[in-house]
Amino acid sequence: DAKTTQPTSMDCAEGRAANLPCNHSTISGNEYVYWYRQIHSQGPQYIIHGLKNNETNEMASLIITEDRKSSTLILPHATLRDTAVYYCIVRAYSGAGSYQLTFGKGTKLSVIP
Amino acid sequence: DVKVTQSSRYLVKRTGEKVFLECVQDMDHENMFWYRQDPGLGLRLIYFSYDVKMKEKGDIPEGYSVSREKKERFSLILESASTNQTSMYLCASRLRRTGGNTDTQYFGPGTRLTVL
């Protein structure tokens, strides 16, 4: 899986958009970008994933640059419940041997009242 | 929505006890996983199961065993609990890919196990 780089921490005011960047300059053509988050003392939660087009769901939007070397997760209206560690993961499903998710250190997002 | 549940959020056991951690998913997923998460070490895969009665070792299977008798249920067993098995245990499930190459795992809330 390609290596990802994320800022260690970020703050965001409640109600504002939170923009979380991720660099993945060694991404290959068949690798997807996934975002998960983990709220303190809970299991990781899947947020969104994409290949090259921008994606949006009820939780967030994912913007992937044209060269696919970086992406941004956008939480449009951050709430206090969005305070969590956000993980950007790049991987391809390549068959039976590809099963383990590797979580890096992620970005600790603190939403401030 | 996928729902993955784990039998306990918090568990305290004594050294040498046999411990059962249960995981149930309600989305008919074929694949299920057990991880442990420790500070500074991230998620580590203990065991996974492709389908009923199938199991494969992950990176750190020593001291653990698993059981998958029904599709929706994947159990992690600590044969003789030790203090170094104090950890957060996370179960996940995944729909087996039938086409395309995405790989979304859905996690349970976790069980924080303390072995005294």
Side-chain angles (χ1 to χ4, degrees):
Chain A
D1 298 340
K3 181 178 165 56
T4 61
T5 305
Q6 299 177 252
T8 303
S9 63
M10 291 180 66
D11 290 342
C12 177
E14 188 178 16
R16 305 297 290 267
N19 297 282
L20 293 98
C22 180
N23 286 320
H24 32 79
S25 58
T26 61
I27 192 170
S28 60
N30 64 343
E31 287 183 312
Y32 281 68
V33 180
Y34 290 82
W35 283 85
Y36 284 77
R37 73 180 182 185
Q38 190 168 20
I39 296 168
H40 182 61
S41 294
Q42 296 185 25
Q45 178 187 22
Y46 164 78
I47 302 173
I48 199 167
H49 73 277
L51 183 62
K52 50 186 172 183
N53 296 323
N54 298 338
E55 301 288 344
T56 295
N57 63 20
E58 65 278 3
M59 287 183 70
S61 295
L62 174 60
I63 308 298
I64 302 174
T65 57
E66 197 167 336
D67 63 6
R68 303 211 321 124
K69 292 186 177 182
S70 66
S71 60
T72 301
L73 178 75
I74 301 172
L75 308 178
H77 305 286
T79 71
L80 299 179
R81 289 177 296 177
D82 292 321
T83 291
V85 179
Y86 287 77
Y87 298 97
C88 169
I89 301 165
V90 172
R91 62 182 277 110
Y93 186 98
S94 56
S98 175
Y99 45 79
Q100 181 168 332
L101 282 178
T102 302
F103 282 44
K105 293 193 181 338
T107 296
K108 171 130 179 60
L109 175 70
S110 299
V111 180
I112 312 298
Chain B
D1 280 350
V2 176
K3 189 148 187 211
V4 180
T5 57
Q6 294 182 228
S7 49
S8 306
R9 289 300 309 276
Y10 300 93
L11 207 52
V12 179
K13 295 291 182 180
R14 295 200 176 277
T15 301
E17 281 192 79
K18 192 168 185 176
V19 182
F20 294 86
L21 302 182
E22 298 280 327
C23 175
V24 177
Q25 49 93 4
D26 67 356
M27 284 301 292
D28 206 34
H29 283 178
E30 285 86 0
N31 303 161
M32 295 187 76
F33 307 81
W34 274 107
Y35 295 87
R36 61 178 283 177
Q37 186 176 33
D38 302 286
L41 296 177
L43 280 179
R44 292 182 291 167
L45 184 67
I46 305 171
Y47 267 97
F48 64 102
S49 169
Y50 288 122
D51 212 329
V52 178
K53 297 194 186 294
M54 311 264 305
K55 57 186 179 183
E56 294 287 340
K57 293 179 181 178
D59 293 334
I60 50 165
E62 297 78 19
Y64 303 94
S65 62
V66 290
S67 171
R68 184 117 182 256
E69 295 298 317
K70 293 186 178 181
K71 194 174 188 180
E72 68 271 17
R73 189 180 297 269
F74 191 33
S75 302
L76 180 70
I77 303 149
L78 286 65
E79 298 291 342
S80 177
S82 64
T83 55
N84 63 11
Q85 293 178 309
T86 291
S87 185
M88 166 75 105
Y89 288 89
L90 292 161
C91 174
S93 75
R94 177 181 71 189
L95 181 66
R96 185 177 64 193
R97 180 178 62 93
T98 56
N101 55 1
T102 60
D103 180 21
T104 300
Q105 294 188 20
Y106 297 90
F107 286 81
T111 295
R112 187 165 293 282
L113 172 68
T114 301
V115 183
L116 301 175

